[in-house]
Amino acid sequence: MAELIKLFEENPNPGQIDKIVNVLRKGGLVIYPTDTVYGLGCDITNSKALQKIARIKGVKLEKANWSFICADLSNLSDFVRQIDSSTFKILKRALPGPYTFILPGNNNLPKDFKKKKTVGIRVPDNAIAKALVTELGNPIVSTSIRDEDDVLEYTTDPELIYEKWQNLVDVVIDGGYGGNIASTVVDLSTGYPEVVREGKGDLDIF
């Protein structure tokens, strides 16, 4: 059964962050807050954890379109091919923020993503998510916890999330009420911004 851990975004407890990161390193699954909706994630380098998420979501891992949660743009070159200055300016302007940017992947992607031509990058404006990624030392893969049967698209109450997911994941972080509008998804893989999904992120930024 999952552990419910309360964290405050203003000042995430370093000891609790360490504890959660140890769970991630051991292949555990964590539900955590972002600047949009709560996400389900694991260490992107852990194949067994990725397979677990794929089973929960009912998709084949090689076909899954999940995003990478990064702490900032400094790790971009680890996974993304070199981008032009205009694309980088868009990223700098929008991030951290409620956007997912689809960018061309490079040859350094973790083995489970090697066949991917593109990768979705997120840098959420949320101190808890960023603290987890910083402590882990590499991105967390992220997918939504949306339930197609729910009246509300996304659950915002962490205690209700815990009730529903406690037998499927290892940790649920209570970071306060989440939003119910997902990130704005923008494809920058061709060098020209193409909006794939309108969400919380303002389109005027482009």
Side-chain angles (χ1 to χ4, degrees), residues 23-43:
V23 170
L24 288 166
R25 287 196 177 118
K26 291 174 183 170
L29 307 188
V30 174
I31 290 176
Y32 57 95
T34 71
D35 53 354
T36 56
V37 299
Y38 270 81
L40 165 65
C42 70
D43 182 341

Side-chain angles (χ1 to χ4, degrees), residues 36-62:
T36 56
V37 299
Y38 270 81
L40 165 65
C42 70
D43 182 341
I44 62 165
T45 65
N46 193 302
S47 292
K48 285 185 178 175
L50 291 165
Q51 291 286 1
K52 277 193 263 183
I53 290 183
R55 281 197 298 276
I56 288 170
K57 297 290 284 187
V59 296
K60 289 187 175 175
L61 181 53
E62 60 271 19

Side-chain angles (χ1 to χ4, degrees), residues 1-178:
M1 185 178 284
E3 185 173 357
L4 182 64
I5 296 178
K6 188 164 185 66
L7 287 174
F8 296 96
E9 195 193 340
E10 300 78 35
N11 189 19
N13 182 295
Q16 297 283 43
I17 292 291
D18 280 350
K19 183 177 180 180
I20 298 162
V21 166
N22 282 332
V23 170
L24 288 166
R25 287 196 177 118
K26 291 174 183 170
L29 307 188
V30 174
I31 290 176
Y32 57 95
T34 71
D35 53 354
T36 56
V37 299
Y38 270 81
L40 165 65
C42 70
D43 182 341
I44 62 165
T45 65
N46 193 302
S47 292
K48 285 185 178 175
L50 291 165
Q51 291 286 1
K52 277 193 263 183
I53 290 183
R55 281 197 298 276
I56 288 170
K57 297 290 284 187
V59 296
K60 289 187 175 175
L61 181 53
E62 60 271 19
K63 293 189 175 177
N65 289 317
W66 300 331
S67 50
F68 289 8
I69 299 281
C70 301
D72 52 43
L73 292 175
S74 62
N75 299 115
L76 213 58
S77 58
D78 294 348
F79 308 107
V80 173
R81 283 210 310 269
Q82 192 166 4
I83 54 177
D84 59 37
S85 59
S86 62
T87 299
F88 189 72
K89 280 177 186 170
I90 290 172
L91 297 175
K92 285 283 283 183
R93 203 158 57 233
L95 300 173
Y99 299 89
T100 301
F101 288 105
I102 299 170
L103 296 162
N106 65 19
N107 296 327
N108 299 327
L109 285 170
K111 63 180 186 293
D112 294 290
F113 300 96
K114 281 290 186 195
K115 293 181 181 175
K116 290 280 184 191
K117 290 187 170 63
T118 58
V119 61
I121 297 290
R122 278 270 279 129
V123 182
D125 190 11
N126 179 284
I128 295 169
K130 287 196 278 190
L132 290 174
V133 175
T134 300
E135 186 61 31
L136 182 62
N138 57 253
I140 295 170
V141 78
S142 185
T143 180
S144 75
I145 58 167
R146 185 172 77 174
D147 187 333
E148 303 299 340
D149 296 330
D150 279 355
V151 177
L152 273 175
E153 276 201 350
Y154 296 96
T155 308
T156 61
D157 183 339
E159 291 194 2
L160 293 178
I161 292 169
Y162 178 76
E163 268 180 39
K164 187 167 189 174
W165 289 82
Q166 60 185 319
N167 296 318
L168 292 171
V169 302
D170 300 280
V171 173
V172 175
I173 298 172
D174 177 353
Y177 277 87

